[in-house]
Amino acid sequence: MTEPGLRFANIESARQRLQGVAHCTPVLTSRTADALCGARLFFKCENLQRMGAFKFRGAYNAVACLEPAQRAAGVVAFSSGNHAQAIALACRLLGSRAVIVMPHDAPHAKVAATREYGGEVHLYDRFREDREALGRELAAERGLSLIPPYDHLDVMAGQGTAAAELIEQVGPLDVLLVPLGGGGLLSGSAVAARTLCPDCAVLGVEPEAGDDGRQSLRAGRIVHIDTPETLADGAQTQHLGVHTFPVIAALVQDIVTASDAELTATMAWFAERMKLVIEPTGALAAAAAFSGRLDLSGKRVGVILSGGNIDLARFSALLANTNRAHAG
Ligand SMILES: *Cc1c(COP(=O)(O)O)cnc(C)c1O
């Protein structure tokens, strides 16, 4: 195994760049949750991060790392989710320009939010056009820097600051549970944990319908899958990245899954018991903790609640159909 490309020093530099810009998000605890799991759980509330998810950390770090001339020219990102809004906000704060490539049928609220943060939305027809090719074309034509949502060292370093902060806030952990899509958050968290509490087991949690990360870890290579059908829209990735995979393979103990039913039950639990709104992807790590499938007894467990961006109508519809048997 080659030495992973992401180093703890990169995360420390990212923390300095984010100082006074990103929120140091609160860590919440619950005696009820502890009793359910027979463990001590520490919930890192990135749903309360600026723009509603940890993605702000990586996006801001990556834009801040651009050369002044690149920053002046602007940034392009393709995403209909949290990364797009994070890039738009980061660019506004750093005096850069964001062009976000989104499908023409993206939810109106997401297009509006991206524009509100100052991003220029470039709509494309997702049945007839290839967004990656379009992104590259725009980058070439207009001299923009393309910042991908996870497979980028500066993005990974920024995402790792959440776990670093958590460990600093609560002390050493025995287990750290991290939602997994393309692996920016997981790779950054694993590098942070290896330095700050080397005995901590770091586990990724991905949707049951799309366990490419688990398959990749077992196979020792990046496994590609079709876009999974899951409520966890922030983790509908088809494969890990060439930068995230080696770090995950070297430092992550295991990758487990949570079902959509477990995600909605977990969202309901947080709304009711902790007065927190979390989006389905943001509930992955907590759903794994509540599942009973992990041996957490007597352990100190960090749980990253990665985001809270969900349309209110969708949130209430999901909660109305929840099978409460899955959590609490
Ligand atoms: C993007 C995202 C994830 C997954 O992060 P990766 O770095 O792609 O693994 C998890 N939760 C939320 C809320 C996200 O927006």
Side-chain angles (χ1 to χ4, degrees), residues 106-323:
H108 176 74
K110 291 205 162 152
V111 176
T114 306
R115 286 193 177 127
E116 251 168 64
Y117 286 129
E120 173 191 331
V121 176
H122 187 105
L123 296 174
Y124 73 101
D125 182 341
R126 72 189 169 93
F127 301 105
R128 291 182 18 219
E129 291 177 284
D130 171 2
R131 68 174 191 175
E132 300 198 19
L134 196 63
R136 276 193 301 270
E137 226 171 80
L138 280 167
E141 266 170 28
R142 295 167 61 171
L144 307 171
S145 301
L146 183 69
I147 300 184
Y150 56 86
D151 207 17
H152 187 293
L153 288 174
D154 298 329
V155 172
M156 293 155 64
Q159 317 305 34
T161 62
E165 211 173 87
L166 165 63
I167 295 163
E168 200 174 280
Q169 285 166 299
V170 305
L173 298 167
D174 301 310
V175 179
L176 177 60
L177 298 173
V178 184
L180 171 61
L185 184 61
L186 181 57
S187 57
S189 300
V191 170
R194 183 183 55 173
T195 297
L196 297 174
C197 54
D199 295 332
C200 176
V202 179
L203 305 186
V205 186
E206 62 188 348
E208 192 177 80
D211 69 339
D212 61 291
R214 181 164 64 178
Q215 292 184 43
S216 301
L217 200 61
R218 303 268 189 283
R221 64 179 172 82
I222 301 172
V223 172
H224 290 241
I225 59 167
D226 289 337
T227 301
E229 269 193 50
T230 169
L231 293 174
D233 53 353
Q236 274 181 315
T237 39
Q238 295 172 284
H239 55 84
L240 300 178
V242 298
H243 296 291
T244 60
F245 174 70
V247 178
I248 290 169
L251 300 178
V252 168
Q253 273 65 41
D254 202 2
I255 293 174
V256 299
T257 63
S259 69
D260 279 1
E262 289 172 329
L263 296 181
T264 48
T266 301
M267 290 163 67
W269 189 89
F270 276 99
E272 192 169 85
R273 299 300 185 109
M274 301 193 70
K275 324 307 167 197
L276 288 177
V277 173
I278 358 177
E279 62 183 278
T281 319
L284 279 165
F290 291 150
S291 73
R293 292 189 294 275
L294 302 175
D295 176 22
L296 302 177
S297 69
K299 294 184 175 158
R300 291 167 54 82
V301 182
V303 177
I304 299 187
L305 304 179
S306 53
N309 289 328
I310 181 164
D311 192 90
L312 208 50
R314 183 153 176 265
F315 186 73
S316 45
L318 288 178
L319 263 53
N321 295 318
T322 296
N323 173 1

